[in-house]
Amino acid sequence: MIVRNMRKYLLALLGAFTLLVSFSSCTDQKEIDIIYNQEATLEVNLLNMYETCGIDFSKFQTQFVSGYRPTILTLVYDTEGTYQYSIKSILYNFNNPSIPLKDLDRKEYIVIVVQYLMEYDNESQSVNDFWSLYNVKDFDKVSILSKEYQIPWYCCLGIDVQKIDLKSGNNFKSTPKLAGSFVSLDYENLYNGGYNRVALYFKNKVTGLYLNPNREGLAKYFYDNYNDSNTWTAVAELERPELLYIKGDDNFFILESGRINCCIGLSTKDDGTFFTAYPSTDSYFDFELGKNYTAYCEYNGETDKVTTYLGTSIDFEKWYEKFDKWIPNTFDDPFTKWGASVEEVKKYMTNKKYTTWYDLTPIQSIDGDTYYYLGYYGRFVEDDIQYVFENMTGNLLTAFEIIYNNDMSVNQIIDHFDKDPTYQRYEPFEETFYEYGCYFFYDEFTQVEIYPDFEDDYGLYTQIVYSRSTVVEEETRGRKQIKSNLSFVNKRANSNIMTTIKDKR
Amino acid sequence: MRKKFLFAVLGLMTAVGLNAQVKVDRGNDNGQRSTQRKSSQLAIKYGVKAGVNLSSMSNGMDFDPGFGMGIGYRAGVMANFHFGQRSINSLPGTGLFGVQPELMYSYQSVKSDEGDIKMSYIQLPIMLKVYPTSALSIEVGPEFNYLISTSPDTMVFDDATISVGNCKGFNIGAGAGLAYELRMGLVVGARYSLGFTDMAKNLKWKNNGNIQVTVGWLF
């Protein structure tokens, strides 16, 4: 009897224990605030994404000094994808920063690090962010979008996604990698083809990236206009109001990778938003992340043909060595009928298909006299041709041309005048001209002064100053006294025009 | 959910009480106390008890709070249901088994590196009792506890700052111990209880080392 009861009670006890254990997980407890005092840190390698792509960091430092700040966005999610917080760090140098990760439990997290440069105005302390985060709280849809259609190379984006386990340590390292590639858009002689815009066009332009590392292929891109058959977007573009220069180049950053429907497009001013595609709108190219590409375009004035090239920059250099490009290798003479009216000069330049850089503009010289300037874009190696008038209706005093050394050296310019039977070379130079390194030519009507080694942001350039000849006039009086226009050049150098010249390329 | 469960337990006690309407002695007092005998083999007594808690906690977090045993107190009421007869001639309620639900207020203190953690519970232990002798019992059973409050509000350890004051709620444990019931009604007991539930969902502290020494009186 007792044994039977014992069994019964033991069974009841076992049942009760089972019930108890099953209940032990059924509690109404909630999470409480636990703040870990010992924060974790994430050290970010700022240089990796640039150095791996061969970017000259000294060039980068120049950009930095002129108003850019390295910026780090750190997004923290748990392993379920639940958003924890984000940190935006605007840095003051390129030393690897340690981003503090606070208030995290001892468990695994997913950390997304986004790196780029932010424009920063030192004076006003205002910022211009090239990138914007969207859907930060949704791990699947969190994305970063560019605010610009053409992304300057220095606004390139680096991304690193990693899991960190706070059970195994507090100090973590992040090395963002380039999230796209670079394209250098180069052109030559497009001025002479009448073009005012050249661009690398992509079909289905990517405007942003999803940051979720589980997204692959096309799913990682954010498109504005996917499958819109009429839409082509310039990812790299060089444009001028009237005509492009003889040559030009700029570097851009693109997010896209993979096989892309793309082409190089050329437009004249009359084309508006339309362009002529090279090789065609059906051409494709494979872009790889972290590489440097060159999109090149050349117009041959002799054959009236356009040649384009799209490939890695390394391949381009090999191709370009063998490329027989058209070299105008000359510069035009300005209008030199001294004392002419403004209308006469304009008529002459229009007939020769020059386009206006700036219309008649009064400039006050340092001695208080007011002169009137008229500017035109160059057509060959000359960067521009400018005229100076005594008054707003005319009396042409001087014309001058700017030629960058890259386009034509000083010796080539001197050769040009030496071979021109119109001009005589004046030798020996007077000390005044030696002092300024000036070379002098003259004829009955015009004297030419060549001043080398001026410098601006785009390199060394030469000024050729044309003015009324004083040599013959003085010779007739029995003494050779050359009156230089150098003082005039100096006046010009102190004018606002000089600033405009520096900014115009 | 919590309310439903408590009502169910109280309902069980009420049902047992309704079936047991006699009050008998323990069968070892030679009839010196008044007894009332009916056909039931169940004897019920009600009582009060109070005592001290020696409490500690186990730590499942990555940092060490330096827990140590602290002293608290407990007091409450109990009902003793003693089943069966020890022999055919024994009085009812002198058998081998019994059940003792209790309703206790328990104040527990646990020492830590940063001071004492003080917890106030309402506890409902339901002890199954085995009587090797008619006076001595071995008791084992579940404890249903509700943590009313915890203090201080915040504790700052070297590694973490914890809002301890937010720890509240229902939890479950189990207890085992010995009790000795004197003829006069005095009951002395010692029990060790073990908590199964963490202090909070993300705070892996179990209040699971509680030694209870109590004195009570069964009427």
Side-chain angles (χ1 to χ4, degrees), chain A residues 174-211:
Chain A
S174 171
T175 305
K177 296 169 191 65
L178 201 68
S181 54
F182 293 107
V183 172
S184 174
L185 179 62
D186 297 11
Y187 69 83
E188 289 183 283
N189 303 325
L190 292 184
Y191 183 103
N192 291 294
Y195 299 108
N196 81 321
R197 185 173 70 238
V198 58
L200 175 64
Y201 289 94
F202 277 14
K203 194 76 175 287
N204 303 321
K205 167 82 174 74
V206 168
T207 54
L209 286 177
Y210 288 103
L211 299 173

Side-chain angles (χ1 to χ4, degrees), chain A residues 480-491:
Chain A
K480 208 171 202 175
Q481 183 71 44
I482 297 171
K483 185 182 177 187
S484 169
N485 275 295
L486 184 63
S487 60
F488 193 86
V489 173
N490 284 338
K491 286 175 194 172

Side-chain angles (χ1 to χ4, degrees), chain A residues 238-257:
Chain A
L238 294 168
E239 184 179 18
R240 293 182 53 76
E242 300 292 336
L243 287 170
L244 287 165
Y245 294 112
I246 288 294
K247 64 167 70 174
D249 66 90
D250 207 349
N251 290 285
F252 300 86
F253 176 71
I254 58 170
L255 287 168
E256 290 88 339
S257 62

Side-chain angles (χ1 to χ4, degrees), chain A residues 245-247 329-331 357 378 380-384 386 401-413 451-464 492 497-505:
Chain A
Y245 294 112
I246 288 294
K247 64 167 70 174
N329 202 28
T330 187
F331 56 93
W357 171 23
F380 301 100
V381 294
E382 72 276 20
D383 196 70
D384 56 72
Q386 297 175 60
E401 293 178 308
I402 303 292
I403 298 176
Y404 280 86
N405 291 14
N406 286 340
D407 297 328
M408 184 176 269
S409 70
V410 179
N411 288 335
Q412 286 175 311
I413 295 169
Y451 297 97
D453 298 333
F454 283 83
E455 188 171 13
D456 66 8
D457 291 345
Y458 306 102
L460 291 170
Y461 65 89
T462 302
Q463 283 194 29
I464 308 172
R492 177 181 170 279
I497 292 287
M498 199 62 197
T499 309
T500 314
I501 287 168
K502 284 184 180 176
D503 293 340
K504 89 187 184 83
R505 267 206 170 184

Side-chain angles (χ1 to χ4, degrees), chain A residues 419-434:
Chain A
K419 289 173 185 171
D420 189 340
T422 311
Y423 296 107
Q424 296 177 55
R425 184 164 176 172
Y426 179 75
E427 286 182 311
F429 284 173
E430 289 203 354
E431 198 171 323
T432 308
F433 302 126
Y434 273 123

Side-chain angles (χ1 to χ4, degrees), chain B residues 123-184:
Chain B
Q123 295 183 323
L124 183 65
I126 301 174
M127 292 291 121
L128 305 176
K129 294 170 79 81
V130 179
Y131 288 86
T133 70
S134 55
L136 180 68
S137 60
I138 302 164
E139 49 190 27
V140 60
E143 288 185 349
F144 304 96
N145 308 319
Y146 187 78
L147 179 57
I148 304 167
S149 67
T150 309
S151 66
D153 285 342
T154 303
M155 298 192 77
V156 181
F157 294 94
D158 285 343
D159 290 323
T161 301
I162 301 173
S163 301
V164 174
N166 291 334
C167 292
K168 289 176 184 170
F170 177 68
N171 58 70
I172 286 176
L178 293 171
Y180 194 85
E181 300 166 17
L182 298 175
R183 279 180 299 176
M184 64 179 78

Side-chain angles (χ1 to χ4, degrees), chain A residues 48-297:
Chain A
N48 176 72
M49 64 179 260
Y50 305 112
E51 288 176 346
T52 53
C53 301
I55 291 180
D56 180 3
F57 193 70
S58 61
K59 190 177 176 184
F60 213 79
Q61 292 282 27
T62 306
Q63 294 282 358
F64 173 70
V65 168
S66 59
Y68 293 90
R69 295 275 181 271
T71 304
I72 300 289
L73 303 176
T74 310
L75 313 176
V76 183
Y77 300 83
D78 68 14
T79 49
E80 304 295 318
T82 307
Y83 173 73
Q84 305 295 307
Y85 56 77
S86 61
I87 305 165
K88 185 172 190 175
S89 313
I90 302 173
L91 307 167
Y92 290 88
N93 55 51
F94 283 89
N95 299 333
N96 294 350
S98 283
I99 310 293
L101 301 177
K102 296 179 180 176
D103 305 342
L104 296 178
D105 292 337
R106 295 288 194 271
K107 61 180 188 179
E108 281 190 328
Y109 290 92
I110 299 169
V111 177
I112 300 174
V113 176
V114 179
Q115 178 189 344
Y116 58 88
L117 276 189
M118 177 188 286
E119 199 172 15
Y120 187 89
D121 189 321
N122 285 313
E123 287 183 9
S124 65
Q125 296 194 335
S126 62
V127 297
N128 180 22
D129 220 339
F130 293 103
W131 299 92
S132 298
L133 277 175
Y134 286 88
N135 297 318
V136 177
K137 294 186 177 176
D138 185 341
F139 183 63
D140 183 50
K141 292 182 180 172
V142 59
S143 51
I144 187 154
L145 270 64
S146 167
K147 292 179 179 174
E148 309 285 341
Y149 268 101
Q150 287 109 39
I151 306 168
W153 70 271
Y154 48 84
C155 297
C156 59
L157 192 73
I159 294 174
D160 177 47
V161 183
Q162 62 172 295
K163 257 186 188 176
I164 60 170
D165 187 353
L166 272 75
K167 288 178 193 165
S168 61
N170 290 323
N171 300 314
F172 305 95
K173 294 193 174 181
S174 171
T175 305
K177 296 169 191 65
L178 201 68
S181 54
F182 293 107
V183 172
S184 174
L185 179 62
D186 297 11
Y187 69 83
E188 289 183 283
N189 303 325
L190 292 184
Y191 183 103
N192 291 294
Y195 299 108
N196 81 321
R197 185 173 70 238
V198 58
L200 175 64
Y201 289 94
F202 277 14
K203 194 76 175 287
N204 303 321
K205 167 82 174 74
V206 168
T207 54
L209 286 177
Y210 288 103
L211 299 173
N212 183 342
N214 299 323
R215 285 177 175 262
E216 291 181 347
L218 293 179
K220 69 181 179 183
Y221 294 122
F222 191 95
Y223 291 95
D224 258 0
N225 55 348
Y226 195 71
N227 279 341
D228 182 348
S229 58
N230 294 318
T231 305
W232 286 83
T233 307
V235 295
E237 183 179 60
L238 294 168
E239 184 179 18
R240 293 182 53 76
E242 300 292 336
L243 287 170
L244 287 165
Y245 294 112
I246 288 294
K247 64 167 70 174
D249 66 90
D250 207 349
N251 290 285
F252 300 86
F253 176 71
I254 58 170
L255 287 168
E256 290 88 339
S257 62
R259 191 164 179 74
I260 293 169
N261 187 189
C262 59
C263 65
I264 293 172
L266 287 177
S267 309
T268 63
K269 189 181 174 186
D270 296 334
D271 288 336
T273 57
F274 293 94
F275 62 88
T276 307
Y278 297 92
S280 75
T281 52
D282 294 326
S283 51
Y284 285 80
F285 188 81
D286 289 314
F287 286 89
E288 291 180 39
L289 290 180
K291 287 205 167 181
N292 297 310
Y293 295 94
T294 299
Y296 173 79
C297 187

